[in-house]
Structures are given as structure tokens and as C-alpha cells.
Amino acid sequence: MMPPETAETLTDVMKSIPDDANDGEQADPLFDGLTEPQTTAVQHVDGALLVLAGPGSGKTTVVTRRVAHLVQQGIPPWQILALTFTNKAAGEMAERIRTLLDERGIGGRGLTVSTFHSFCARLLRRYAEQANLSQNYTIFDGGDQRDAVKRALEQCQMSTKNWQPASVLSHISNAKNKLLDAAAYTAEASDFYSRSIAKIFNAYENILRESDAMDFDDLLLRVASLLRHNEDVRSELQQRFQYLLIDEYQDTNHAQFIIAHTLASGHGNICVVGDPDQSIYGWRGADITNILDFEDHYPDASILSLGQNFRSTGHILAAADALIRNNRKRKLRTLHTELGDGEKPALLIARDEHHEADLITTELQKLNTNEDIAWKDMAVVYRMNALSRVLEQAFRDAAIPYVIARGTAFYDRKEIKDALGYLRLIVNPRDELSLRRVVNSPTRGIGKTSFEKLELYAINEQVSILEAMEHASDIEGLSARAANAMQRFVKMILELRGACVPNDAGMFTGNVQITLPELVGQVIRDSGLEAEFKKKKTEEDEQRVANLNELVSAATEFCERVRDDDDPRDSSADPGVSLLNELARYLETVALVSDSDAIDPEKGAVTLLTLHAAKGLEFEAVALAGLEEGLLPHMRSIGSDEELEEERRLCFVGITRAKRHLLLTRAMQRTMRGMRERQIESQFVRELPSESVNTLDLSGGHDDFGGDDWDQPWRRRGGGRSGSNSLGVAGSASTRAGHADVSGISIGAMVRHPTFGIGHVEAITRRPAGSSARVRFNSVGTKTLILEYAKLEVVE
DNA sequence: CTGGTCATTTTTTTT
DNA sequence: AAATGACCAG
């Protein structure tokens, strides 16, 4: 990497501001109302820049103005690449930059603002040949990945009992994020556990290759390796993207790090923005050292810290600050606000989750009536989606408008998945997962046994399953009925594909080139999906038909949007190829939608969302529900300091979403997956400064477990202290029966954990509130586990 | 082959 | 509570 000509250290920048500042620029509204470090960031043009942007520090303003400034300086927009993590963030950033440029009468055409994943997906289509890929590959979403792992396990003759798909998948994902492919992982695998994972990994990769499919991680991995191995592509992209901007840099993983730094390696013009205190994606491979070590990667980098918070009032910020100070692995930093003390956050203690939801709706109702705060300026945040159900009910009962941020919800519906399955199969006839999904849905007489015969034939004859279906009448032992159904099925798929791609004579099915929404409509009709749901008259089925129609509308919308902001560089000449391309691109955007994409500030409704989805957003009033041990921090993180600190950051993110009103809630007991459990106050609550939080115990002081006395001799009855740390602390759900098996675990014992596998017990701490054990696992190292939660099995 | 019932299992966050 | 999987009668 070449040090930029105008190398600036932090002190140089600081010194240079007064006299170096261009007078004309200072007059530009682009610099209006900015603090000194903000101005410096906006002015920065060449070289590396790290912006440490605390919550509410005006990060988006700085970033968008900086890009506008670059263009104003005469840098062609198409040389600028801005990468974000969600479509929502990308869309917002693009929109705000466009507005700034429009105001100045500058064109912004060709500017790339995209998520990492969709940027990579596009590159892989454009450079499919160089990447040794087909152009019409399928992107496997989370569900597809799970199915693929299950099939891989089947092929390896391993049981999903001992090898949980989710756990296997996270190992594979972690490997890919470190740029290890199946071969590299296998080479590194030495112990039994990782060798087993390697075996599944290889089978999984085979399935993906045969299906012409890629998972989310592949998108990054393949681009990283394309950049590494193909010099032409690398230099072409380095040439094109002269200025890089990466948002939420604390959440980048190693693959993303490599992609960004390869692109920047020629010119070194890389600006990264982030906040280590808001790093909440460690579990999916985000590497916080990327941001912490940025100075090491770019010794000449300028570093700016945006510490002033323009969002929250004093007590809210004080609570957030006090909380995050408990993280030990952290650069000390102080947050300050000039918005005054404001209102103190309130902590309400509820009896159970229903009571908690009622308290929240009541409080929000008050804010709406008394303070005139609009519904859309309020949010309820929580650790797990499972908590949204009860809240939703309470909002319905209270007649308060609400929206749940679940961008994927629509595409998770059965009928939509089916319709998309057909579409995927049209684009990519090798997509076996989709084929399996739709081949008998709606039912057309191709059941399990017939399909197995078909598969066998396909393997023996070395043809794809779809090809085998064409020859169904040749398959021995297949009923004529099934063979017939198969041939009809394959004919339908080929005809639909023929509507997208001209045949040898240059003709389309039906002789006319149709549009994407027309194709979607045809799929819904030809597949029999529509008829399937139209014949029954239940409300549910009517809804399904409506959803299918909605899918046609979504396709229409997609086409309109693409036409608007299409980069002329990407357009393909052949109109026949382009419907297929368009479909492929549509399926790509569908695969990459995220929950936060669904957040629509225009809707006059309270937003319900997870803490993860809340990052980057702000609301006048925020309720943070479920401040209980096991929930926040989540059960699975207790026992690992690193994960516990990430949970604390998550709580920090939640608190700092609030501008003026913050409501914290917890319940004394909560029903989860059908079991009522007594809940303990979150340790994070104790870390909040009492002078900044008003605690109010509304649980009624009693702690009854449904009138049932149980056998809890330690429990004090009646007259419990109000406020925090009351009865709940002693009354953990721990010593209940059912966890009795703990006795067999002793130091030195060999145990099996559902996720971590086999390990040896190194130490045991026995406590009435819950005993814990330190276990050294063969695969993942040492973990401290709470015995009552960890389903440890003694292995003889 | 289909469509029902019954039993078992599940414990997070997401591109 | 809900979702998956196994099993069985038509």
C-alpha cells in the first residue's frame, strides 16, 4: 500500500484546520452546524480515515456530506463505493447523498451504495466467467442452508442428533468467514470433532456445487478469492473504485476486511466508520480487531472521534455510559450530550410478560396523549423475536398501531416460498433443493418412493434430476401415473423457461417476450398453486391467494425500481437473456432482504424490533423489554466473558436508541416454549447508575408461582423488598427437579454438550443459585457452563 | 400416495 | 407454543 501523498496524522489535521480551511467551503451549507471533528471528517479526501462514531454522533450526516463533498471536489461518482450492512442503510445513505447533490445541481449517476453481500452478488454475476461460476447461480438463504446441511448429514450417514445442523452450519460459516474453504478446513482439521465437521463441510459444498448455488458466506468468499487470484479483475476494480467508504466497520468479518483492503490497496483511499461499543455481530464472524487495529493497517491514517451525542438527553446517556464502562476490553471513551438532563429512564418490574406488555402499551399511550409523541417515533426493542408475540397482542388489544420489523416474514410464507421455488428452478434447473421443494407441491402424485426411484435413475445414468424426469417412462418400477406426472412437470418448467430464453429458432414460448410480473403470474397459475388455494374457501387460503398476488406486485415494483437506478454499465444487450437476468436479480434481492429493511418510518405505527435490527435507528421513546438474566444477557452467552460483553453492547445499543424517553422493563416470571419460569433481574440493571434510573416494582411484591407452593424452603414469603435485587435473586429456577442429573458430573468426568461436543470437566462450583462447571472441550476450548442450563451428558 | 394424528423437540441475534 | 417428524388409515 502506498502512503498517500498528503499524509496526515491526527495532530496534523487538528493543527491544519484553522488556516488550511478553504473559505469557500466553510460557507457551503455542507459544513453548517458541524463540530470540529465532523468538519474534518467531511473535508477528508485522500488517504485512510477512521471515524470513531459514538451513538447519535451524527455519523450519517458526516458520511453523506463527505461523499457529497468528494463529488463536489470533482471526483466522478462512479469512482466512489460505499458499503453498508443492510439494504435499508444503503438505501437511506444513497437517498441522502442524492438530495445533497441535487441541491447543488450535481449529478450523482454511477455512485455505488450497496450492502457487502449484494455488491458481491453483482460482481459475481458480472465476472461469472472469471470466477468460474455460472451466471445464474442460486443464493441459498438460511433455510436452504439448513436443508443442505441436513442432506449432507444424511449422505455422511451422521445423525442430526449428535450433529445439530445449526451448530454445524456455524462452524462452516466461521470457516468461510476466515476464507477457509472445505479443502483448507479439512487440511487444518486434526481432532475427531473438526474432522467430522470437515466431512460434513465437504458434502455440503458438493451439494452447493451440484445445485449451482452459493450461500451468504460464499458471496464474500468467492469475491475475495476472485480479487486475489485474478489480476485483471483486481486491477479493473481497483481502478474503478478510487474512494471507499465502509459503514459499521466494527461488524466486518475477515472476508469483508480482505475485500475492502484489496480494493483500497492501490490508492489507500479508504474511510471506515464505526463504533467498537456497538459491535454486536461477533457471533457471525465479525472481527472487532478490524476496527481496533485500523491504525496498524494504515499507519498514516487520520483518526477522528465523534464523541458528542446529539440524540439522547443526559440521564439516558449517563445510563448507557455507566453500563458500557463495565466492559473491560474497551478503549475508554466518554459520551457527552448538550441536550440537558432530560427525563430519567424508568425501570418497571412486571408480574409476567402479559403484565409487562400492558405496562409498555400504557406508558406509550401516555406519551402519545400527554406529550404528543407520534406512534412512529416510538419503538419496543427486545433480545429475541419470540418476545414479540405477547407485545403484539397487547398492542392489538390497546388499539395502538404497530409494525413488526420482519422483512423476511413475507418471503417465509409457504405459498411464497413455493412460488419462488418454481422461479428459482426456471433460472437454475440444477437447483435441486428448489426442485425437491416444489416437485410435489401442490401434490401431483410424485411422492417419496417415486422420487427415490427417480433419484436412483439420475445417479445411475449420470444425469440431472430434471433430465431424468424427461425420461421418466424409462424408469423401472415407476408407476405410469407417477411417470406421467413427472413428464408433465418437466414440460411445464421447460415451457416457463422458454418464456424467458428464446429457443434455437429465436422464439419464446407463446411467441412473445413477456415481462417479469407476467412471468410470476404465469408461474403461479401454471404450477397449480393458485388453484390449490382457490378451491378451499377458508380464510387462510384466501390470504394465501392474496399473498401470491402480492408477489406479482412485488415483482412489478422491483422492475420499476431497477429501471430507475440501473447502472448503464450493467445493461445486457440481448432482451431474451435479460428476462432471465432480471429474474435472477430479483431472486437475488429477495434472498438478501433483512428484517430492518421492513422498517418504514412513514407508517404511523410503533415499531417492534430486535436489538440487532434496532442498530442505527433512533426514536423519541424506546421501551426495552425483558431485562432478565438468560434473556439479556442471553442464556447462551453466560459463561463466556467475550459473549457477555457483546450482550452488554447490545443492551447499550438498545438504551442509546432513545432520544428523550426510555422505559426499561422486566418480568418476575415468564412463559417460554410452554414453560413458566421464574426470572432473575439482568445483571445489566445493577450496572445502571441508581441516580439516573427510577425503579418501580409493579409486580405486586408477591412472587407466587400460580398459587402453587412448590417446594422452595429457601423462599421468603411476603414483604419482599421492592426495587431491584429482591426475591428473584434467590429464587432462581435452578434447583428444580429435572436437572437432577447434575450429580453424575464430577471433576475429570467426560461429558457431551449438544453444541460443543465432548469435553472434560476441569472444575465445579456448587452454589444454591446454580452450579457451574468449567469444561475443556475438544473442539471449542474451555467454557464455563451453568449446569442447569447446559444439557451435559456424562459419557462413560 | 395423501392427509391426518400424535409425539418429540426446541432454547438468539442475521446477511 | 409451535414446528418438525414419525406413523398410520384410507
Side-chain angles (χ1 to χ4, degrees):
Chain A
M1 176 213 340
M2 289 215 316
E5 196 88 0
T6 53
E8 295 167 327
T9 65
L10 181 52
T11 37
D12 284 341
V13 173
M14 291 311 197
K15 270 189 300 194
S16 69
I17 292 169
D19 38 54
D20 207 41
N22 175 332
D23 286 357
E25 277 189 0
Q26 288 296 319
D28 191 300
L30 215 46
F31 294 91
D32 273 2
L34 295 187
T35 61
E36 198 173 289
Q38 286 181 329
T39 306
T40 314
V42 173
Q43 276 179 333
H44 180 271
V45 177
D46 290 305
L49 171 68
L50 164 63
V51 180
L52 292 165
S57 61
K59 180 191 75 173
T60 314
T61 304
V62 167
V63 163
T64 51
R65 292 193 191 191
R66 178 174 175 271
V67 173
H69 180 247
L70 289 178
V71 180
Q72 207 172 35
Q73 296 293 299
I75 292 161
W78 51 266
Q79 287 187 358
I80 301 171
L81 170 64
L83 294 172
T84 64
F85 277 81
T86 64
N87 297 304
K88 167 96 174 136
E92 221 158 64
M93 192 187 289
E95 179 65 35
R96 286 180 64 167
I97 293 170
R98 194 154 301 152
T99 307
L100 287 171
L101 292 177
D102 280 352
E103 283 168 7
R104 286 161 184 76
I106 315 173
R109 235 183 133 65
L111 182 75
T112 308
V113 185
S114 170
T115 67
F116 259 103
H117 285 87
S118 51
F119 175 67
C120 290
R122 278 191 170 206
L123 282 187
L124 290 175
R125 285 199 208 284
R126 187 180 317 163
Y127 297 106
E129 205 178 310
Q130 292 92 327
N132 207 6
L133 289 169
S134 105
Q135 210 182 30
N136 294 321
Y137 65 85
T138 300
I139 297 175
F140 273 5
D141 64 25
D144 300 325
Q145 288 181 49
R146 218 195 56 225
D147 291 348
V149 167
K150 280 190 188 164
R151 286 191 48 72
L153 284 165
E154 232 170 82
Q155 286 173 14
C156 297
Q157 306 195 336
M158 294 161 83
S159 98
T160 51
K161 271 249 157 52
N162 294 326
W163 306 94
Q164 289 200 333
S167 157
V168 173
L169 211 46
S170 89
H171 278 93
I172 294 177
S173 176
N174 281 335
K176 288 186 178 184
N177 287 333
K178 287 187 216 144
L179 298 179
L180 294 175
D181 59 17
Y185 184 88
T186 309
E188 278 194 11
S190 50
D191 56 304
F192 172 74
Y193 188 81
S194 50
R195 277 207 309 273
S196 308
I197 294 283
K199 203 167 134 197
I200 308 165
F201 194 168
N202 280 294
Y204 173 81
E205 285 299 296
N206 264 331
I207 292 169
L208 262 69
R209 195 171 333 112
E210 281 168 13
S211 309
D212 195 7
M214 287 202 263
D215 63 21
F216 293 131
D217 302 314
D218 285 330
L219 295 173
L220 305 173
L221 177 79
R222 301 299 274 268
V223 166
S225 98
L226 175 67
L227 286 172
R228 171 185 236 155
H229 295 117
N230 191 311
E231 212 177 315
D232 291 344
V233 173
R234 182 172 65 233
S235 61
E236 189 182 324
L237 290 172
Q238 284 172 344
Q239 285 296 316
R240 165 152 183 197
F241 298 116
Q242 291 284 316
Y243 292 88
L244 262 59
L245 175 80
I246 299 156
D247 195 19
E248 307 284 9
Y249 190 63
Q250 77 282 352
D251 289 328
T252 49
N253 63 32
H254 185 65
Q256 288 161 330
F257 171 86
I258 292 294
I259 292 168
H261 291 271
T262 309
L263 289 175
S265 67
H267 44 68
N269 299 327
I270 179 169
C271 169
V272 304
V273 187
D275 178 6
D277 288 338
Q278 293 182 67
S279 159
I280 55 175
Y281 285 102
W283 54 273
R284 67 168 203 212
D287 184 354
I288 196 166
T289 62
N290 286 348
I291 191 163
L292 296 179
D293 298 344
F294 188 77
E295 297 172 72
D296 298 339
H297 303 132
Y298 293 88
D300 295 318
S302 307
I303 297 158
L304 292 167
S305 183
L306 309 181
Q308 184 175 344
N309 180 300
F310 300 95
R311 177 188 296 156
S312 310
T313 44
H315 284 303
I316 293 173
L317 206 61
D321 191 51
L323 174 78
I324 202 67
R325 277 169 187 276
N326 289 279
N327 273 5
R328 300 188 61 193
K329 287 204 208 160
R330 170 176 187 261
K331 284 186 182 171
L332 198 63
R333 193 173 50 131
T334 320
L335 304 166
H336 67 282
T337 177
E338 290 176 8
L339 297 177
D341 285 349
E343 185 182 273
K344 282 188 188 179
L347 170 69
L348 303 186
I349 304 172
R351 284 190 302 278
D352 57 23
E353 68 273 25
H354 297 104
H355 186 207
E356 177 186 50
D358 287 344
L359 292 175
I360 290 172
T361 52
T362 308
E363 286 304 309
L364 296 187
Q365 188 94 63
K366 273 191 220 158
L367 289 174
N368 180 249
T369 321
N370 303 340
E371 313 247 343
D372 212 28
I373 297 178
W375 296 125
K376 68 173 172 61
D377 295 323
M378 304 181 188
V380 186
V381 293
Y382 37 81
R383 179 68 228 279
M384 296 191 288
N385 282 308
L387 267 82
S388 70
R389 190 178 301 280
V390 179
L391 289 162
E392 205 179 341
Q393 188 60 51
F395 275 91
R396 264 202 301 265
D397 291 348
I400 299 175
Y402 68 93
V403 277
I404 298 185
R406 293 229 75 190
T408 51
F410 178 72
Y411 296 102
D412 278 342
R413 301 189 143 97
K414 239 185 297 173
E415 65 278 15
I416 300 300
K417 274 187 161 175
D418 282 350
L420 291 171
Y422 285 100
L423 291 168
R424 279 167 54 159
L425 203 52
I426 290 167
V427 173
N428 173 11
R430 284 165 53 196
D431 184 344
E432 204 183 303
L433 246 47
S434 293
L435 175 72
R436 284 169 180 281
R437 162 160 210 109
V438 301
V439 72
N440 202 27
S441 151
T443 53
R444 42 173 75 87
I446 307 173
K448 202 173 158 220
T449 36
S450 296
F451 197 83
E452 275 167 8
K453 283 172 191 149
L454 173 72
E455 250 186 315
L456 200 66
Y457 177 88
I459 292 166
N460 287 337
E461 301 289 319
Q462 298 272 308
V463 292
S464 75
I465 297 202
L466 212 58
E467 281 170 308
M469 282 176 114
E470 282 190 281
H471 305 123
S473 47
D474 301 343
I475 301 176
E476 259 178 82
L478 200 63
S479 71
R481 200 179 132 83
N484 212 298
M486 284 180 187
Q487 282 171 329
R488 275 213 310 276
F489 177 83
V490 73
K491 185 162 173 263
M492 171 186 72
I493 296 295
L494 291 178
E495 268 177 15
L496 285 165
R497 191 176 159 91
C500 307
V501 193
N503 62 16
D504 296 340
M507 297 299 280
F508 296 101
T509 304
N511 296 337
V512 213
Q513 172 73 87
I514 59 171
T515 65
L516 180 60
E518 281 167 349
L519 176 74
V520 176
Q522 203 166 327
V523 163
I524 291 168
R525 268 172 279 116
D526 291 2
S527 63
L529 275 175
E530 194 179 51
E532 163 87 357
F533 300 122
K534 263 193 174 161
K535 72 178 181 219
K536 291 182 227 149
K537 269 282 170 242
T538 68
E539 216 163 292
E540 199 192 4
D541 284 321
E542 274 171 34
Q543 184 61 50
R544 289 184 197 274
V545 176
N547 289 336
L548 289 170
N549 289 329
E550 182 65 33
L551 188 66
V552 180
S553 311
T556 313
E557 223 171 89
F558 171 81
C559 291
E560 281 162 6
R561 218 179 50 237
V562 166
R563 240 152 249 151
D564 283 351
D565 54 29
D566 210 1
D567 184 345
R569 290 151 180 276
D570 292 337
S571 70
S572 16
D574 189 349
V577 175
S578 97
L579 176 57
L580 203 67
N581 261 350
E582 202 173 19
L583 177 56
R585 284 241 231 141
Y586 174 61
L587 293 173
E588 171 189 308
T589 60
V590 167
L592 297 175
V593 291
S594 71
D595 284 351
S596 33
D597 297 339
I599 297 160
D600 182 0
E602 296 309 303
K603 295 228 179 82
V606 179
T607 308
L608 273 53
L609 72 179
T610 63
L611 285 161
H612 284 89
K615 195 174 63 161
L617 304 175
E618 60 177 26
F619 302 90
E620 287 293 324
V622 170
L624 173 49
L627 276 162
E628 294 145 36
E629 211 57 14
L631 216 51
L632 180 65
H634 191 272
M635 217 152 65
R636 311 255 316 211
S637 67
I638 299 171
S640 148
D641 287 349
E642 286 204 347
E643 286 175 44
L644 187 69
E645 294 209 344
E646 184 155 308
E647 295 290 307
R648 192 177 281 111
R649 291 193 290 270
L650 213 38
C651 188
F652 175 79
V653 165
I655 291 173
T656 55
R657 297 311 94 194
K659 292 163 95 168
R660 324 196 73 87
H661 304 278
L662 175 63
L663 181 66
L664 308 166
T665 62
R666 71 177 178 94
M668 296 300 284
Q669 51 184 258
R670 188 179 292 277
T671 306
M672 294 189 77
R673 61 185 187 281
M675 290 277 281
R676 187 146 54 143
E677 300 270 13
R678 191 186 307 278
Q679 297 294 99
I680 303 173
E681 181 176 72
S682 165
Q683 55 188 292
F684 299 153
V685 170
R686 286 197 297 276
E687 297 170 2
L688 302 176
S690 53
E691 64 274 18
S692 278
V693 178
N694 286 325
T695 303
L696 196 57
D697 188 343
L698 300 168
S699 69
H702 61 82
D703 180 20
D704 280 345
F705 225 53
D708 204 336
D709 244 311
W710 294 74
D711 48 345
Q712 297 164 331
W714 70 84
R715 219 179 88 215
R716 288 183 298 161
R717 303 216 45 138
R721 284 172 290 132
S722 71
S724 55
N725 291 354
S726 65
L727 291 172
V729 177
S732 90
S734 55
T735 27
R736 279 212 325 272
H739 299 291
D741 219 26
V742 164
S743 55
I745 294 171
S746 54
I747 293 179
M750 196 197 278
V751 292
R752 183 188 359 255
H753 184 275
T755 316
F756 305 135
I758 303 286
H760 289 272
V761 179
E762 288 190 339
I764 295 183
T765 318
R766 296 214 185 261
R767 260 175 298 151
S771 303
S772 61
R774 196 169 73 233
V775 182
R776 177 175 296 278
F777 288 103
N778 300 338
S779 54
V780 287
T782 309
K783 295 257 178 193
T784 302
L785 304 163
I786 311 289
L787 291 179
E788 73 201 68
Y789 295 129
K791 282 182 229 152
L792 286 181
E793 252 181 273
V794 180
V795 181
E796 303 308 324

